[in-house]
Amino acid sequence: MSRSLLSRAVGVFQLSRATTLLSGTRFYSHTEPEPLTVRQQNNGIRRIILNNPKKRNALSLSMLESLRENILTDVDSEDLRVIILSAKGPVFSSGHDLKELTSAQGRKYHTKVFHTCAEVMTLIQDIPVPVVAMVNGVATAAGCQLVASCDIAVVTEKSTFATPGVNVGLFCSTPAVAIGRAVPRKVAMEMLFTGTPISAHDALLHGLVSKVVPEERLEEETMAIAQRVCQASRPVVALGKATFQRQMSQGRDAAYATASKVMVDNLALRDGQEGIRAFIEKRKPVWSNRAEKAHD
């Protein structure tokens, strides 16, 4: 074989081998898995999207950990003013992943799941910015707990809410903590004992959600609330949110004592005084968005 023919043969072999390897790479390649939650932020508004619709956005341990990370990231930044929590697909969240709750996983793992879940739910109420649930679909068990834990919930007419754990032998005791603080006791007990879903309008009637809107207006209505929050002073909102949570767990007299002290603290903030001056001077306030004091 001549040198030129040999070179051509080698070239064909190498090309054929490269094609085979490339084909094999395509065949055996593993695409990066979709993130369980997606975080986006713009103009002070953070969007956190539950992103596992194939599993009905179940609150697996991994999902809870991802959600916790996306809530806590730069949570004290002045650029963060409000969080909107939504979900991809027709189910907002079906609650815990029951496959993680079998005996095979064991008591230690189960304890970690519920500890992490409680941590996420309390984080939502303890962080210094409002959290708004944007719900278009079904929210059950810990998914319903997630909605109840948010400061505001805007939902569509097709949304439903339930705590059906009793029907699979697992009473929704942890969801009951948030739900029992959001709706009247007897409504909560009926939901917990029967597992029967309630409609969006019944959820509004009983105080589980803030507003029911047509599906096509969900984004618009939720963003309008978020943008309105962004117009207020961040430290004033943070102080107000923390105080509301604290006084709600107190008796009347203790609640007034707590709230009265905080009103005085609010007045001592630089933004507190700026707001009053702006009102007197008939102009828009210019917020510093910093927890600085105007006086002691």
Side-chain angles (χ1 to χ4, degrees), residues 142-179:
C144 187
Q145 177 186 4
L146 187 57
V147 175
S149 298
C150 290
D151 300 304
I152 300 169
V154 184
V155 310
T156 66
E157 295 163 329
K158 66 189 251 185
S159 301
T160 58
F161 306 88
T163 51
V166 68
N167 297 324
V168 295
L170 183 65
F171 197 86
C172 287
S173 294
T174 46
V177 174
I179 294 165

Side-chain angles (χ1 to χ4, degrees), residues 57 67 87 104 111 114 116 121 156 160 171 178 189 221 253 258-260:
N57 293 311
L67 184 55
T111 299
F114 289 107
T116 306
M121 302 301 168
T156 66
T160 58
F171 197 86
M189 296 306 281
E221 295 281 351
D253 293 346
T258 294
S260 296

Side-chain angles (χ1 to χ4, degrees), residues 53-72:
K54 289 183 179 179
K55 292 194 174 181
R56 298 164 61 87
N57 293 311
L59 296 179
S60 63
L61 180 57
S62 296
M63 174 72 92
L64 288 166
E65 289 173 340
S66 181
L67 184 55
R68 178 178 61 191
E69 179 185 353
N70 283 325
I71 291 171
L72 284 175

Side-chain angles (χ1 to χ4, degrees), residues 223-296:
M223 287 300 293
I225 292 172
Q227 288 162 357
R228 188 65 183 266
V229 170
C230 289
Q231 293 174 14
S233 162
R234 189 185 197 276
V236 169
V237 169
L239 184 62
K241 175 175 175 175
T243 305
F244 181 83
Q245 296 290 351
R246 191 183 321 135
Q247 62 89 12
M248 284 296 289
S249 65
Q250 297 175 325
R252 183 195 62 188
D253 293 346
Y256 268 120
T258 294
S260 296
K261 179 183 181 301
V262 171
M263 291 290 283
V264 174
D265 293 340
N266 193 156
L267 285 171
L269 286 175
R270 176 178 167 184
D271 279 356
Q273 289 300 306
E274 164 61 15
I276 291 173
R277 281 196 304 270
F279 180 82
I280 293 170
E281 296 168 6
K282 296 181 171 58
R283 61 174 174 82
K284 287 187 176 181
V286 180
W287 306 123
S288 71
N289 290 314
R290 296 177 181 175
E292 298 174 349
K293 288 187 176 182
H295 61 261
D296 292 328

Side-chain angles (χ1 to χ4, degrees), residues 76-154:
D76 292 321
S77 169
E78 294 172 12
D79 294 330
L80 177 62
R81 310 298 296 282
V82 62
I83 293 174
I84 296 175
L85 185 58
S86 62
K88 185 177 180 181
V91 177
F92 178 78
S93 176
S94 59
H96 291 292
D97 184 348
L98 295 183
K99 291 181 180 178
E100 292 188 341
L101 305 182
T102 63
S103 295
Q105 297 293 341
R107 188 179 186 91
K108 185 176 180 180
Y109 187 87
H110 297 164
T111 299
K112 186 175 182 181
V113 168
F114 289 107
H115 174 80
T116 306
C117 182
E119 185 180 1
V120 169
M121 302 301 168
T122 54
L123 265 178
I124 288 171
Q125 297 187 331
D126 290 348
I127 61 173
V129 297
V131 181
V132 183
M134 186 171 80
V135 182
N136 184 28
V138 178
T140 60
C144 187
Q145 177 186 4
L146 187 57
V147 175
S149 298
C150 290
D151 300 304
I152 300 169
V154 184

